[in-house]
Amino acid sequence: MYRASGKGGGTAPRPVPPVVLALRRFPDPRLTGLGSGLFCTATMFGLACLDALLFARSVTVYGVLFLLVSALTAMWVRRADLVSAPVAVPIGFAVGVLPVADGSGGIGGQVTGLVTALAMHAGWLYGGTLVAGVVVTVRGIRHMTRRAARRRALAQARAGSPRTAGQQVPSAPRPRRRTA
């Protein structure tokens, strides 16, 4: 419950930190599972090309950028497709490492460079997958606790609990229709 500020001695609302204001202005898209995979893959390939041009194929720069893209991918995927983010992130790493890998001598040399880069820099791959997994897990737990709180409030309202008298009760979540 919130106290109404006024003559009753209520407290003034706390000022919002500038970091929170900046984060609220950040875009909040909701990507499907396929969209998150495409976003991660295209972004990592573009960043790897930029890395090859500006930083002489620095795998450290590529790895740090991969961690950031992994977090963004996990934050921007829809709730219904949360499981797809930790799956799409390693695919994006593998596709994006192509311009950074030291491969020469045709297709065989490129494949050898790709496999070597994936083997030598697996720590970045595991780290990005872990970041995506943690973000997805936290989002899932937050969603489950909100849904449980909504159900409890609805059950109390239906039971005629005196605590909820005069308060607006959120509507019950509608069951999802299954198609195939």
Side-chain angles (χ1 to χ4, degrees):
M1 287 179 85
Y2 295 100
R3 287 186 179 171
S5 61
K7 294 184 180 182
T11 60
R14 293 187 307 196
V16 179
V19 174
V20 174
L21 291 174
L23 287 175
R24 286 182 183 166
R25 286 190 301 263
F26 204 62
D28 192 24
R30 289 294 166 219
L31 302 171
T32 63
L34 179 62
S36 65
L38 290 173
F39 165 74
C40 185
T41 302
T43 304
M44 288 315 302
F45 188 78
L47 289 174
C49 290
L50 195 65
D51 178 27
L53 288 173
L54 298 177
F55 300 107
R57 297 179 179 193
S58 171
V59 180
T60 304
V61 171
Y62 179 76
V64 170
L65 293 172
F66 174 66
L67 294 177
L68 295 173
V69 171
S70 298
L72 286 177
T73 302
M75 285 190 288
W76 287 351
V77 72
R78 294 185 314 172
R79 266 187 263 149
D81 297 325
L82 282 177
V83 178
S84 66
V87 175
V89 166
I91 296 169
F93 183 87
V95 170
V97 84
L98 280 171
V100 178
D102 291 328
S104 60
I107 296 200
Q110 286 293 333
V111 170
T112 303
L114 173 66
V115 171
T116 303
L118 288 174
M120 296 297 294
H121 307 293
W124 291 112
L125 176 63
Y126 294 147
T129 307
L130 180 66
V131 165
V134 167
V135 170
V136 163
T137 302
V138 168
R139 283 187 61 202
I141 290 171
R142 286 184 63 202
H143 174 65
M144 286 188 293
T145 55
R146 285 181 189 153
R147 191 170 54 190
R150 216 178 313 135
R151 286 183 182 161
R152 278 193 304 270
L154 185 64
Q156 286 177 352
R158 286 189 179 160
S161 174
R163 269 182 58 195
T164 59
Q167 291 181 357
Q168 182 110 7
V169 178
S171 62
R174 295 189 323 237
R176 294 174 59 192
R177 187 167 46 174
R178 301 199 181 247
T179 56

